[in-house]
Amino acid sequence: MVSDCYVQILNSIPIDWRTKHFVNYELKRQNPAIGIKKMSFQKILLLWIYLGATETNVSKYKNFNECSHRFFFQGLIPNYLHLSEDIVNICQQYNNKFFFATLYDTKNRIPVYSATQLDLRSDNKSRYGDMFFIEPSLVKNVNHQKGNMIEFVPNKHANYGEKQALDTDYKGSGYDRGHLNPQLFNTKDSDSRYATNTFTNIAPQYGLFNKGTWNNMEETLLKTVKQECKFLGAKIYVVVGVEPSTNRYIVKQIKNKPVNRVNVPRFYWTAICCDTSTAIASDHHEEGWSFAYLASNINASDVNVSFDPVDKFLKNQYLKIFADFKRKNGPDIIGCQFRKDNAIRIIQNIAKTAGPIFEPNPTARFEPEKKKIYKSG
């Protein structure tokens, strides 16, 4: 029977249990009458080829098995729809400690996203910019058993850039080193801030945009979560990503020929989840909220910022960014959106801040769609 064949094939795929569970859950959720057990053999085979190939590639490098439970809501890794042999997982490790997770594009030499759980127990605002790091697992014939990022030394690591950007790419390029997971979000200690200086967490960013709108939004978001997600025991998850451009690159002359070294992203985006399911007080369990926003990477200090519900955000790129929370009683919480009214109120407050340009109604896509009324005659 096809259902028995499905079980055997799915169990043979070299992927972790979270991915298998997600595939089964999503297909059943989208069409309960069909579910994965009634898929055709051809579809099952395609699924096996796709997932097996992508996971096998990841296993050559690091994977998220060591850190997914720490940096992703409900342990669910965002389901990026454009996986390829060039996309790798990195648990970002410095001084034998994990600090965040990055999905990295070795072809464009920029991160796809970086994900972390905010630790707000300290308020260290010092910036550490004197050391930058590279990822040894992306370099052939380099021993990276310890797993730690290593400090970039130009004379020593000049040939380490086949699958990642180097400091020499950014110098004189006209672009800032744009951190996805910013130092501002890592206040625990100096190690947590230094760890963000790895080039696998950095993409080219226009200086005016970096120091203007994007910095303003980072500071506003940090202030917001301190005020709006201060429930004892709650957790705060953040994913920051970019969308690569089709024709913008940092170009370097190599052997007298121009080479597209580092892709310059079209836009930067952030998704935030205030997870109150772990709050100590039971009456706070469903006070959480989530939302996402993006802004174009252009050479301007005041750039338009647009907001979306996480479950409707970048649907051409991600099947799911945050997991759905399963209630014991009642429907699932979709995309960490425990209380949509909290998200709407918070976004409206953010839109009152100076700096970025916001849409006239920044929460329009959080409202239910109005049904069209057709008149007869």
Side-chain angles (χ1 to χ4, degrees):
M1 294 177 63
V2 173
S3 60
D4 294 333
C5 178
Y6 146 75
V7 172
Q8 293 175 11
I9 289 178
L10 190 59
N11 287 336
S12 71
I13 296 174
I15 55 178
D16 64 27
W17 67 269
R18 292 183 184 86
T19 308
K20 293 177 185 177
H21 172 77
F22 176 79
V23 171
N24 197 17
Y25 165 74
E26 274 299 308
L27 288 169
K28 285 182 178 179
R29 187 175 71 84
Q30 292 178 27
N31 194 338
I34 298 177
I36 194 168
K37 288 191 176 183
K38 295 185 179 179
M39 289 173 64
S40 68
F41 178 79
Q42 290 86 350
K43 287 184 179 179
I44 293 173
L45 186 59
L46 288 173
L47 178 67
W48 174 72
I49 293 171
Y50 170 75
L51 292 175
T54 55
E55 188 72 14
T56 301
N57 170 65
V58 167
S59 66
K60 295 185 206 173
Y61 305 95
K62 296 180 180 180
N63 55 53
F64 286 150
N65 291 342
E66 297 176 285
C67 61
S68 61
H69 63 289
R70 294 181 54 184
F71 305 126
F72 299 103
F73 175 54
Q74 299 286 299
L76 179 75
I77 298 165
N79 302 96
Y80 187 56
L81 297 175
H82 304 293
L83 292 174
S84 71
E85 291 186 353
D86 301 312
I87 307 296
V88 299
N89 299 343
I90 303 172
C91 287
Q92 300 284 11
Q93 185 175 333
Y94 178 61
N95 277 350
N96 300 317
K97 294 176 288 186
F98 293 123
F99 288 99
F100 58 103
T102 299
L103 188 68
Y104 190 72
D105 182 345
T106 62
K107 182 179 180 180
N108 284 313
R109 299 184 182 91
I110 56 173
V112 177
Y113 65 73
S114 286
T116 192
Q117 182 185 157
L118 298 191
D119 187 334
L120 303 178
R121 289 177 294 180
S122 175
D123 195 26
N124 181 3
K125 294 183 179 180
S126 301
R127 290 188 180 271
Y128 297 88
D130 55 336
M131 281 198 307
F132 285 87
F133 302 93
I134 52 176
E135 177 53 53
S137 71
L138 300 181
V139 184
K140 293 180 180 178
N141 304 319
V142 172
N143 186 349
H144 56 84
Q145 291 181 351
K146 291 184 178 180
N148 290 313
M149 59 184 72
I150 57 177
E151 184 180 356
F152 175 73
V153 179
N155 295 335
K156 185 178 179 181
H157 302 129
N159 296 322
Y160 279 33
E162 179 184 355
K163 293 182 178 295
Q164 62 190 308
L166 305 176
D167 195 43
T168 46
D169 290 312
Y170 284 86
K171 286 186 175 178
S173 69
Y175 294 98
D176 283 3
R177 304 174 186 87
H179 292 62
L180 272 67
N181 176 23
Q183 290 192 8
L184 189 67
F185 290 174
N186 297 269
T187 61
K188 184 179 179 181
D189 53 35
S190 58
D191 278 1
S192 68
R193 297 173 85 77
Y194 268 126
T196 66
N197 281 356
T198 174
F199 283 105
T200 52
N201 180 50
I202 288 172
Q205 197 169 31
Y206 282 101
L208 289 176
F209 173 57
N210 182 25
K211 298 175 180 66
T213 290
W214 202 245
N215 181 68
N216 186 297
M217 287 302 297
E218 287 174 346
E219 292 181 346
T220 300
L221 188 64
L222 187 61
K223 182 180 178 181
T224 297
V225 296
K226 287 180 177 180
Q227 293 175 344
E228 300 287 353
C229 194
K230 55 185 178 181
F231 309 100
L232 193 61
K235 297 177 181 179
I236 305 162
Y237 296 93
V238 180
V239 184
V240 183
V242 296
E243 162 76 1
S245 63
T246 57
N247 57 4
R248 287 193 299 178
Y249 291 87
I250 292 177
V251 179
K252 292 291 181 180
Q253 291 290 327
I254 299 177
K255 295 181 180 181
N256 297 320
K257 293 183 179 180
V259 176
N260 292 337
R261 278 289 300 165
V262 187
N263 187 277
V264 179
R266 289 178 53 228
F267 59 78
Y268 279 65
W269 61 267
T270 297
I272 177 82
C273 161
C274 172
D275 173 21
T276 53
S277 67
T278 57
I280 293 176
S282 59
D283 57 341
H284 291 160
H285 283 178
E286 297 201 4
E287 291 296 314
W289 46 269
S290 69
F291 57 79
Y293 60 85
L294 65 80
S296 296
N297 183 27
I298 59 177
N299 196 23
S301 56
D302 294 334
V303 180
N304 182 75
V305 176
S306 60
F307 292 89
D308 281 278
V310 174
D311 63 303
K312 297 179 182 178
F313 187 63
L314 299 180
K315 297 304 292 182
N316 63 331
Q317 294 185 43
Y318 294 88
L319 189 61
K320 193 176 291 294
I321 294 177
F322 291 137
D324 297 339
F325 178 76
K326 290 186 174 295
R327 287 187 176 112
K328 291 183 179 179
N329 298 301
D332 292 351
I333 301 293
I334 305 299
C336 189
Q337 191 65 278
F338 290 85
R339 284 192 58 178
K340 185 169 66 173
D341 58 331
N342 277 348
I344 291 173
R345 174 180 56 79
I346 291 165
I347 292 169
Q348 289 172 343
N349 288 337
I350 291 175
K352 296 176 183 177
T353 62
I357 304 168
F358 299 99
E359 297 169 296
N361 182 5
T363 61
R365 285 176 290 280
F366 288 76
E367 306 295 343
E369 294 183 8
K370 295 181 179 179
K371 294 183 179 180
K372 294 181 179 180
I373 299 175
Y374 296 94
K375 295 181 180 180
S376 59

